[in-house]
Amino acid sequence: MTGKRRVRQPGDREMAPGRLALVQSFVNSVNVEFGPDEFATTGGFTRWLEAYGPPGAATGVTEADRRRAVVLREALRALLRENNGGPRDPEARAVVERVAGRCPLVLGFDESGTAGLRPVGEGAQGLFGQVLAVVVEASGDGSWQRLKSCHDHRCAWAFYDRARNLSGRWCSMAVCGTRSKMQAYRQGLKVSASGPVAD
């Protein structure tokens, strides 16, 4: 990731390792609960590309590119919900496959000589290809299943689960975990207060 800035992670979690941090930053380009959405405008998407994308990715960004970025981002978020125990989302998988069809990848080598998938395209399409290449690589090395969307649907922040047994459910136990547990507790109180119905 070429990112010039690091977004503070909830619960003081560390960013995902290596190139997977790009996917995490892409998905977290919107704070679902509080805003803002960095992809809300073409200018905002361009600024995000300048900060996180490969060199030249921010050149010639169009409104269509911005819309495709939002669609891909939300499809990836749905896949991250799957990684956190959510239901399979065939529509999200179809979106990712459709975007991938427009973003050819080739074998390339980085500065250290390590082989990996590299996008053929440039600009926003190149960035989409790079994001998808990282997803493929992370799926192969086992790190993909650790990138999750917060179990609290109001939050949906992408976080990297470093627990040995993949037990992380919330981006922040202190905030989202506590809120979810309190909600479950209150629902339990309502059920017990209503009690069984007498015959």
Side-chain angles (χ1 to χ4, degrees):
M1 184 171 97
T2 62
K4 299 171 189 168
R5 52 190 170 134
R6 288 283 216 199
V7 174
R8 188 166 179 270
Q9 298 301 300
D12 291 325
R13 288 184 180 270
E14 293 179 38
M15 288 288 290
R19 289 171 26 110
L20 193 54
L22 173 65
V23 179
Q24 184 180 13
S25 296
F26 185 78
V27 174
N28 287 339
S29 60
V30 61
N31 183 321
V32 173
E33 189 170 13
F34 302 112
D37 183 350
E38 296 184 64
F39 296 176
T41 65
T42 304
F45 180 47
T46 300
R47 285 187 295 279
W48 188 92
L49 284 168
E50 289 168 349
Y52 294 103
T59 306
V61 175
T62 67
E63 174 60 17
D65 292 331
R66 183 200 69 79
R67 285 193 307 268
R68 278 192 289 274
V70 171
V71 169
L72 177 59
R73 177 185 70 194
E74 297 313 314
L76 290 171
R77 187 184 317 280
L79 297 182
L80 298 184
R81 274 193 295 275
E82 289 182 15
N83 289 351
N84 203 357
R88 293 177 69 80
D89 191 329
E91 186 177 326
R93 292 168 184 270
V95 165
V96 171
E97 289 173 356
R98 196 167 45 252
V99 172
R102 292 189 213 114
C103 302
L105 301 171
V106 296
L107 177 67
F109 295 91
D110 65 15
E111 299 80 30
S112 69
T114 303
L117 296 172
R118 304 288 179 256
V120 173
E122 296 179 348
Q125 288 301 112
L127 179 272
F128 301 153
Q130 186 175 16
V131 165
L132 295 175
V134 172
V135 170
V136 171
E137 291 169 1
S139 295
D141 70 20
S143 60
W144 172 251
Q145 65 185 5
R146 292 187 173 276
L147 191 60
K148 300 177 176 183
S149 175
C150 183
H151 198 265
D152 185 344
H153 69 277
R154 293 166 291 191
C155 174
W157 189 260
F159 71 96
Y160 191 77
D161 182 3
R162 294 180 187 277
R164 187 173 297 171
N165 63 356
L166 293 172
S167 60
R169 296 184 71 198
W170 300 283
C171 65
S172 168
M173 184 61 198
V175 179
C176 293
T178 300
R179 183 167 54 189
S180 292
K181 289 180 178 196
M182 285 302 296
Q183 182 179 3
Y185 174 75
R186 285 188 207 110
Q187 288 173 342
L189 287 177
K190 286 180 186 175
V191 169
S192 64
S194 63
V197 177
D199 288 332

